[in-house]
């Protein structure tokens, strides 16, 4: 159905767009810090709400409340772990990697960046990160990508997330594209994906602060581009930490004009 818009409505929409564009061009993004220090800093036990160790090949789902932090760490050796998320209030709102990349003009998600939902709101702030080696382009493993491991039927991220979604009352259609943590995927000058292990460190970790109430899913399976010929993912530790006050000049909330608008959308939704 064709909807005719009045000249006044068109003019108002254009004025709003031009105002956003002007603010974006005038905004000087804050410089992002370097990677977080290693080894991983100790956590006060009083701050720990739950700690889960995900065995290689398995998956895990948890609820997290706004302001809490999920620390994902490789205490037991290297593994890539895929992540998806839905808003608890409305599971039709979910993690959206294309918007995350588009709105921040980068595929390099690291300390100081945020992760958006498909409704223009911020789901996570990356408050600590020791590597920046996270993949938001390729996605997780499937039965087809696991075919390179000969002689056994092995768990993959696609099937793990289908099982996870069904257990929480969702469907495979509700599964968003997955962000894979600790997967050093980069793009060469010919536009081809490649695996750059030089970006990884022993004992890497990342802290993700929840910016809304969410259901978060993890899958601990080898990434499709991982060159290791052996299926051998190590256990991954996920620690849920209690909320702490956020400063008004918090880097993630003020680094870019896009992040500021995303948090404005978060605030509007809570009214």
């Amino acid at each position: 159905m064709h909807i005719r818009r009045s000249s006044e409505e068109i003019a108002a929409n254009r004025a709003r767009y031009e105002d956003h564009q002007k603010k974006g061009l005038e905004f000087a993004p804050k410089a992002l810090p370097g990677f977080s220090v290693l080894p991983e800093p100790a956590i006060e036990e009083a701050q720990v709400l739950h700690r889960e160790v995900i065995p290689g090949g398995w998956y895990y789902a948890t609820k997290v409340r706004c302001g809490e932090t999920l620390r994902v760490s490789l205490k037991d050796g290297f593994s890539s772990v895929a992540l998806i998320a839905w808003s608890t209030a409305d599971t039709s709102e979910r993690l959206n990697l294309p918007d995350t990349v588009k709105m921040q003009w980068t595929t390099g998600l690291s300390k100081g960046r945020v992760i958006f939902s498909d409704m223009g709101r911020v789901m996570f702030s990356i408050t600590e990160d020791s590597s920046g080696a996270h993949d938001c382009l390729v996605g997780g493993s499937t039965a087809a990508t696991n075919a390179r491991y000969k002689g056994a039927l092995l768990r993959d991220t696609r099937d793990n997330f289908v099982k996870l979604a069904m257990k929480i009352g969702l469907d495979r259609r509700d599964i968003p594209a997955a962000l894979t943590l600790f997967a050093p995927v980069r793009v060469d000058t010919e536009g081809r994906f490649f695996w750059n292990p030089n970006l990884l460190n022993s004992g890497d970790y990342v802290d993700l602060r929840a910016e809304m109430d969410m259901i978060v899913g993890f899958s601990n399976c080898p990434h499709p581009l991982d060159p290791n010929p052996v299926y051998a993912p190590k256990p991954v530790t996920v620690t849920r930490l209690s909320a702490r006050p956020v400063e008004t000049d918090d880097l993630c909330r003020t680094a870019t004009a896009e992040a500021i608008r995303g948090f404005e959308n978060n605030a509007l939704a809570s009214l």
Side-chain angles (χ1 to χ4, degrees), residues 3 6 9 15 24 54 70 100 105 110 118 124 144 148-149 157 177 189 200 216 225 232 237 239 264-265:
I3 300 175
S6 68
E9 184 179 4
I54 310 172
L70 293 173
T100 296
W105 300 95
S110 189
D118 54 6
F124 293 103
R148 59 196 170 115
Y149 304 112
T157 288
T189 55
L200 299 169
V216 184
L225 296 185
T237 301
T239 307
E264 288 173 351
N265 291 337

Side-chain angles (χ1 to χ4, degrees), residues 112-261:
R113 297 293 185 190
V114 298
I115 301 171
F116 284 91
S117 77
D118 54 6
M119 294 186 184
R121 300 201 295 154
V122 179
M123 301 191 88
F124 293 103
S125 292
I126 305 175
T127 57
E128 298 292 344
D129 176 31
S130 63
S131 72
H134 313 303
D135 170 39
C136 53
L137 298 173
V138 175
S141 61
T142 65
T145 63
N146 272 0
R148 59 196 170 115
Y149 304 112
K150 305 299 181 183
L153 293 176
L154 301 165
R155 289 178 174 270
D156 65 83
T157 288
R158 176 61 182 173
D159 288 342
N160 277 351
F161 281 156
V162 170
K163 294 184 180 76
L164 184 154
M166 290 181 174
K167 285 183 177 181
I168 61 175
L170 300 176
D171 188 82
R172 65 179 65 232
R173 294 172 297 179
D174 298 308
I175 301 171
L179 169 66
T180 309
L181 305 173
F182 317 115
V185 174
R186 292 298 182 264
V187 181
D188 66 18
T189 55
E190 301 298 320
R192 294 170 297 200
F193 297 124
F194 71 99
W195 187 267
N196 184 359
N198 295 325
L199 301 177
L200 299 169
N201 309 286
S202 176
D204 273 326
Y205 69 100
V206 61
D207 284 0
L208 303 172
R209 185 178 65 214
E211 302 296 354
M212 64 175 71
D213 294 353
M214 288 181 287
I215 304 167
V216 184
F218 296 93
S219 172
N220 181 13
C221 293
H223 188 275
L225 296 185
D226 186 339
N228 188 348
V230 178
Y231 185 101
K234 303 297 185 183
V236 172
T237 301
V238 178
T239 307
R240 181 176 161 221
L241 307 174
S242 59
R244 288 189 169 182
V246 179
E247 300 295 331
T248 55
D249 62 347
D250 178 78
L251 176 65
C252 294
R253 297 192 175 192
T254 59
T256 66
E258 293 78 13
I260 291 172
R261 284 198 292 272

